[in-house]
Amino acid sequence: MQHKTFYYARVSDDEKNLDVQLEAFRQLGAQEYEIFIDQESERNTDQNSYQLLKNAALREGDTLIIQSLDRLSRCKADIKQELQWLKENGIRLKVVDMPTTMIELSEDQQWAVELMNNILIEAFDSTVVHEYAEHRQRQREGIDAAKAKGVRFGRPPLEKEEEFYKLKKRWLSKEISTREAARILGVSHQTFWKWVKGA
C-alpha cells in the first residue's frame, strides 16, 4: 500500500501567517488536495479539518507535515496528546521548524519513524519542564526582589496581629482610610485590603 503525505495549517482569526505555512508546504511539493486548514475558531469543533484529517485521511505509515508544534494546539497538554496519538497510530510527524524531523527515510525504516516520534515527545516534554523551571525561577527572583524592597507576603506577622485588628475596626468604622491603615502597618494598601478580606 502506498503511503501518503498530508499537510496541516492552522491560523487564529487575526493571524496573517497562513501564506507562510502554505508556501513552506508548496516548497516541499504539497498539492492543494493534500493540505488541510483550520481557522482558530474552528479548531475545537468536531467537524474541523484536523478531525477530518485524523478520522478520514491519515492511515498507518502516512506522514503529517506541520510548520511548528504549536500548529497542533496552543495548549501544551493537547500537543502532547496529539504527539502520542500520531505515535500510537504509526503516523510520522515532520515539523518544518525542526529540521531533524524532516530527514527522508525509506519505506523499510519504520523503526526510525518510531524513533523520531519518540524523540519529538521527549524533546517536547523536556521543553515544557525547562519552561516550567524558568517560570519558577523568574517567580522566585520576583518574590526575592519584592522582599528586598520591603514588600511583605501572606497574613500579618504575629506581632502585628493585635494592631491589625484594631486598625481594621477603625477602618470599618471609617475612622481611617485603607492607605492610612496600610501605612501604619508598613504594607501596601492592596496587602491591607487582602488581609481584611481574609481575616
Side-chain angles (χ1 to χ4, degrees):
M1 187 177 76
Q2 187 177 8
H3 298 312
K4 299 178 180 179
T5 297
F6 296 97
Y7 303 78
Y8 176 65
R10 179 179 61 80
V11 290
S12 60
D13 294 333
D14 59 349
E15 265 186 307
K16 306 298 182 187
N17 75 346
L18 180 59
D19 289 342
V20 175
Q21 294 178 68
L22 295 182
E23 181 56 31
F25 295 161
R26 291 188 188 108
Q27 287 183 15
L28 293 169
Q31 302 298 312
E32 293 300 320
Y33 67 87
E34 297 172 324
I35 301 174
F36 289 71
I37 301 169
D38 274 326
Q39 293 288 330
E40 180 66 26
S41 56
E42 302 166 335
R43 179 63 174 88
N44 295 319
T45 67
D46 291 334
Q47 303 302 317
N48 65 40
S49 293
Y50 186 67
Q51 293 304 319
L52 179 64
L53 180 61
K54 287 174 67 177
N55 298 327
L58 286 168
R59 295 288 181 267
E60 184 176 351
D62 287 347
T63 297
L64 175 62
I65 299 179
I66 56 177
Q67 177 74 37
S68 57
L69 280 179
D70 64 0
R71 295 304 92 188
L72 292 177
S73 176
R74 292 193 183 280
C75 171
K76 289 183 170 62
D78 289 346
I79 292 174
K80 180 164 184 189
Q81 185 176 324
E82 296 306 325
L83 290 174
Q84 196 66 41
W85 184 89
L86 292 166
K87 175 189 171 184
E88 289 170 0
N89 286 273
I91 295 156
R92 181 178 179 189
L93 179 65
K94 290 185 177 182
V95 185
V96 176
D97 289 350
M98 301 174 74
T100 307
T101 68
M102 301 298 290
I103 296 169
E104 290 300 324
L105 299 169
S106 62
E107 291 283 329
D108 62 346
Q109 290 182 301
Q110 185 58 34
W111 62 271
V113 172
E114 291 177 15
L115 179 63
M116 283 290 186
N117 283 346
N118 284 335
I119 289 172
L120 266 173
I121 292 171
E122 288 178 20
F124 178 72
D125 280 345
S126 297
T127 300
V128 171
V129 169
H130 179 68
E131 286 179 356
Y132 177 73
E134 280 192 336
H135 172 74
R136 296 281 295 182
Q137 178 64 24
R138 286 194 299 270
Q139 189 179 48
R140 181 74 258 163
E141 288 170 356
I143 291 171
D144 290 344
K147 284 183 176 178
K149 291 180 181 178
V151 177
R152 292 182 175 85
F153 295 87
R155 294 291 306 277
L158 288 176
E159 61 269 19
K160 288 197 172 180
E161 282 278 350
E162 191 176 342
E163 188 177 6
F164 165 70
Y165 285 109
K166 285 180 183 176
L167 288 168
K168 179 185 173 185
K169 194 175 289 186
R170 292 178 61 195
W171 176 80
L172 287 170
S173 63
K174 298 186 178 179
E175 289 180 42
I176 57 173
S177 67
T178 303
R179 290 184 183 279
E180 178 64 15
R183 187 189 64 75
I184 294 170
L185 286 170
V187 298
S188 69
H189 67 280
Q190 292 98 332
T191 298
F192 177 76
W193 177 241
K194 285 178 185 174
W195 288 352
V196 167
K197 288 199 295 183

